[in-house]
Structures are given as C-alpha cells and as structure tokens.
Amino acid sequence: MTRVLHLSDLHYGRERAGLEEALLSAIDRLDPDLVAISGDFTQRARVSQFARARGFLDRLTQPWLAVPGNHDTPLDNLWVRMFAPWKRYRSAISPELEPRHETENMVVVGVNTVNRFAWQRGRLSERRIERACAGFAEAGERARIVVLHHPLQHGPEVEKRLMRGAGAALRRFVDCGAQIVLSGHLHQTVVAPFRAHPGLLFVQAGTGLSDRLRGGERNTFNLLTLSGPRVSVETWGLEGEGFDLIGTKRYLRDGDRWERLPDAEVQAPEMVSTVRFPLV
C-alpha cells in the first residue's frame, strides 16, 4: 500500500491566517509516502512569497515533489517573466521543473504546463509530453502518476480556456501507460475518470491555503491510497477548526478503464474523520 497526499494552490500572499499550521499538522499525522504539490506556491511570484513557501516545504518530514503553476512566474515584471521566468522558483522551491520520484510501488512524473506568454492558459508541448512518457519506460507493474498544474479536462461550469495541447497529452499519456493525473489551478476538487479516456483517473485538488475559494468549496487536499489495481481518493477539507475527511471515492482498474467501487465493497480507511487538526 502506498499513499500520496495531493496538495495544490497554496498561494502564499493570499494564504488564510493560521491555516498553515493546521495543514502541516494534518500532513504530519497522515504521514504519506509522498507529498505531490501541483503548482501555484505563490500569488505574485514575489521573493517574500517564495520564502514563505520554502519555509512550508522545509517543515515537511515526508518526501515531496512539486511543479510550478502560472502564479509562480511574475505577472507584474515583464522582463523577468520573459527572460528569467523560473529564476525565483528554482532558487526557492527546486531547480527541477519536471521532477521524477520513484519507489518500489510507483513512478511519479512532474510536467511543467506553464506558458510564460499567456497568464492563465497553460501549454503542453510534444517535447514535454514525450519527456513525461519516457519516465514510465521502465515502470513495469508499478503505479504511474503524472503531476501538472493545469487540468487536462474542464467541466461545463469552467469558463477558462482549456490548456493548449491537452487533448494530445491525454491520448499520449494513455498510450504510454499513465494511470492517474494530478492537477490543480481551478481551486475545485474533481475525482473521476477522464470522459474521453476512462483508463486515466482525473484527480484535481482544491486550494490548500488560499482565501481565493471558488464554487463554495472549502480549503482541501486529497489523499490517494494505492493498493494493486485499486485506488482510494480521500478528500480532506477545512471543517470548523481543522481538516476532516469529507469524502472518499474508490476505483478499481479493470483492464483499460477505471471502475467506481461502491463504498460497501471496501473497508473503511485507517484514518477516521474524527481526527482533528486545530487551527492556531
């Protein structure tokens, strides 16, 4: 059994006061095998905001993997955005924009989807897609997970334009054996197979710390538990004074598609929703 905690859109510069301690406490108690962070560490890519994000990472006791988001390149400094868009991110977060994490049970590949020439809309080039797929070349029977900031699918309620290259990326990820795609950007939780590609599981995280909540959703993160062909995705959300388990979806990989499992077919999770992480 392997557990991956999926966190996104911290947005330092617009973080909610006191929530960082609650989130760190939740991560510490759940103690996943990996913390995967799908971008937007900052609100405006300022040095002070990156410093606070770095402080958060330094307090994690678990391995972590991260990719940048569109807010992690400066909007208000055109020169830096055009000619040194990743300088601050690389200095504070990681020199690797597309990292990879491997264990005996999984291969996790990060993909940079940020387009410096467009503020909101991301872009996935063929080169980036192929580099991600190359990371799965020797994965064997291990779980294969892609982490990126911009989602590869939008619901009908989303007004933003879908990332350029999303369709081609989905088709190629299916071909090269990817199984789960983690993303953020929209500050809303989604857990379901992709509509056009049911062999890929779409897991989108809300915002972990920001006050920029959308669609009535609270601050959230996801916890994936991988066990053979099964995956359980728990969504933990801010409830009163701390984070509680607010929903679980379980899937079985059956051939080339993910099938939803009724809750009654799977045992209850080890970490129950009565565990609380008080705000300070």
Side-chain angles (χ1 to χ4, degrees):
M1 184 177 72
T2 299
R3 300 198 301 168
V4 178
L5 192 144
H6 175 212
L7 184 63
S8 196
D9 295 82
L10 300 176
H11 284 286
Y12 279 94
R14 286 291 301 271
E15 75 273 27
R16 296 180 65 179
L19 190 53
E20 182 186 66
E21 292 298 325
L23 181 57
L24 284 165
S25 180
I27 295 170
D28 187 57
R29 295 196 189 195
L30 291 168
D31 195 25
D33 299 290
L34 177 70
V35 178
I37 307 171
S38 52
D40 275 2
F41 282 89
T42 68
Q43 180 64 18
R44 283 291 179 262
R46 292 177 180 147
V47 172
S48 61
Q49 294 169 3
F50 273 122
R52 299 207 294 278
R54 180 72 242 182
F56 175 88
L57 292 173
D58 287 343
R59 295 180 64 186
L60 293 177
T61 59
Q62 300 81 13
W64 57 268
L65 174 148
V67 295
N70 59 293
H71 280 261
D72 294 325
T73 59
L75 176 63
D76 51 1
N77 188 325
L78 187 60
W79 191 95
V80 173
R81 183 174 181 82
M82 291 297 106
F83 299 105
W86 313 117
K87 181 178 180 180
R88 297 175 185 177
Y89 180 93
R90 282 189 161 120
S91 177
I93 306 301
S94 171
E96 296 291 334
L97 302 180
E98 297 186 318
R100 186 168 67 184
H101 180 86
E102 294 192 38
T103 71
E104 63 180 359
N105 296 316
M106 66 179 175
V107 177
V108 184
V109 175
V111 185
N112 178 17
T113 61
V114 179
N115 180 6
R116 78 181 78 177
F117 303 108
W119 170 237
Q120 285 283 353
R121 192 183 185 193
R123 180 173 66 90
L124 251 180
S125 66
E126 183 177 343
R127 176 177 58 85
R128 287 178 176 175
I129 296 169
E130 290 305 319
R131 186 160 55 215
C133 281
F136 297 133
E138 299 181 1
E141 297 300 313
R142 290 178 289 177
R144 297 177 291 278
I145 302 173
V146 179
V147 182
L148 37 73
H149 180 63
H150 295 82
L152 299 177
Q153 175 180 290
H154 283 178
E157 77 285 354
V158 178
E159 297 180 356
K160 294 180 180 180
R161 297 175 68 191
L162 187 64
M163 172 173 57
R164 289 177 57 192
L170 278 172
R171 291 189 294 272
R172 186 67 184 101
F173 288 155
V174 170
D175 290 342
C176 71
Q179 297 169 340
I180 300 172
V181 179
L182 309 182
S183 61
H185 187 53
L186 298 179
H187 297 200
Q188 293 181 319
T189 302
V190 177
V191 181
F194 284 93
R195 291 188 296 268
H197 300 279
L200 272 178
L201 188 64
F202 176 26
V203 181
Q204 181 173 283
T207 170
L209 291 178
S210 176
D211 62 5
R212 301 174 69 242
L213 303 174
R214 296 175 185 154
E217 184 159 328
R218 66 193 88 182
N219 293 100
T220 61
F221 63 84
N222 298 319
L223 181 68
L224 289 77
T225 301
L226 309 164
S227 181
R230 298 190 180 205
V231 60
S232 168
V233 184
E234 300 174 3
T235 298
W236 291 72
L238 187 63
E239 179 70 29
E241 297 179 347
F243 284 91
D244 274 348
L245 177 61
I246 60 174
T248 304
K249 290 186 177 181
R250 300 176 174 91
Y251 287 90
L252 172 68
R253 188 168 178 84
D254 184 8
D256 59 355
R257 62 189 301 118
W258 288 99
E259 298 288 352
R260 179 81 183 270
L261 291 175
D263 292 346
E265 290 190 11
V266 185
Q267 294 181 351
E270 296 178 5
M271 183 67 68
V272 296
S273 61
T274 53
V275 177
R276 301 196 60 78
F277 310 102
L279 288 162
V280 295

